[in-house]
Amino acid sequence: MRSSASGWVTRTPRSRTYDSSGSISSAPDRPGQVRHLAAADAAMRTAGFVVLAVVMRLVGGALSDRLGPVNVSVWCFTAVTLLAAVVAFQPGLVPVGTLAFLGLAAALGASSGATFALVAKLAPAHTVGAVTGVVGAAGGLGGFVPPLIMGAVYQFNGDYGVGFALLAATALATLLFTLGPVRRGARG
């Protein structure tokens, strides 16, 4: 049986993909079930994904200080769009799938750091705490809703390809939003 990238773990990468709150609240609930990975192998891959995303959050913030949060966000959302599209085609796990997932972790983690840098830049000083709280709450919901969507997609057609295509489309829409209204707001 060919092991595809879209099923190397069944939950955590999708929730970390959207979770900008930084919490690591969801462990793999059925590691390797879809692609018959051993539980230890799926857990190690998940841990690598999460650690890379968390470290890249710091890098994204630091890069935002130097290059600007909009520029960092544009690069990150471009990478997420392309890498999610790769995963949607369900490449083999080694090496393409693993590299695509690690790239997603890096880009999504960095985009989280850029998002908080953007809040600090755009929000009036007396509202930064409240706005950061709203952004964090949205990230927490983002860690909850996408896994439900991915689960529904999997139940409907037996794989996650369509779910990752939806992630690519969402990242593209976010990229376009960032290039338009967000960039204009940051300039004004």
Side-chain angles (χ1 to χ4, degrees):
M1 167 178 272
R2 188 173 85 103
S3 179
S4 75
S6 64
W8 63 276
V9 291
T10 59
R11 183 168 178 232
T12 301
R14 287 174 303 291
S15 59
R16 280 301 308 157
T17 295
Y18 295 92
D19 184 358
S20 69
S21 70
S23 65
I24 305 171
S25 59
S26 53
D29 53 356
R30 298 178 319 254
Q33 178 182 350
V34 176
R35 301 296 174 205
H36 305 288
L37 292 175
D41 188 16
M44 290 303 292
R45 291 172 190 272
T46 300
F49 183 99
V50 171
V51 168
L52 180 58
V54 169
V55 168
M56 288 305 294
R57 186 177 196 179
L58 303 171
V59 172
L63 286 173
S64 293
D65 290 341
R66 298 188 95 162
L67 306 174
V70 172
N71 293 330
V72 173
S73 295
V74 166
W75 281 104
C76 291
F77 296 134
T78 299
V80 172
T81 300
L82 297 173
L83 292 168
V86 167
V87 175
F89 287 103
Q90 301 182 33
L93 188 56
V94 177
V96 176
T98 298
L99 292 174
F101 271 114
L102 292 175
L104 281 168
L108 290 160
S111 73
S112 182
T115 297
F116 282 97
L118 191 60
V119 167
K121 181 176 183 174
L122 295 180
H126 68 282
T127 65
V128 169
V131 173
T132 301
V134 170
V135 169
L141 285 176
F144 174 72
V145 174
L148 296 175
I149 293 169
M150 292 294 267
V153 165
Y154 182 78
Q155 284 186 332
F156 182 73
N157 71 348
D159 68 56
Y160 293 111
V162 172
F164 283 104
L166 290 171
L167 173 61
T170 301
L172 178 60
T174 305
L175 170 63
L176 296 174
F177 183 73
T178 302
L179 287 169
V182 173
R183 178 169 274 167
R184 284 191 299 274
R187 287 183 186 155

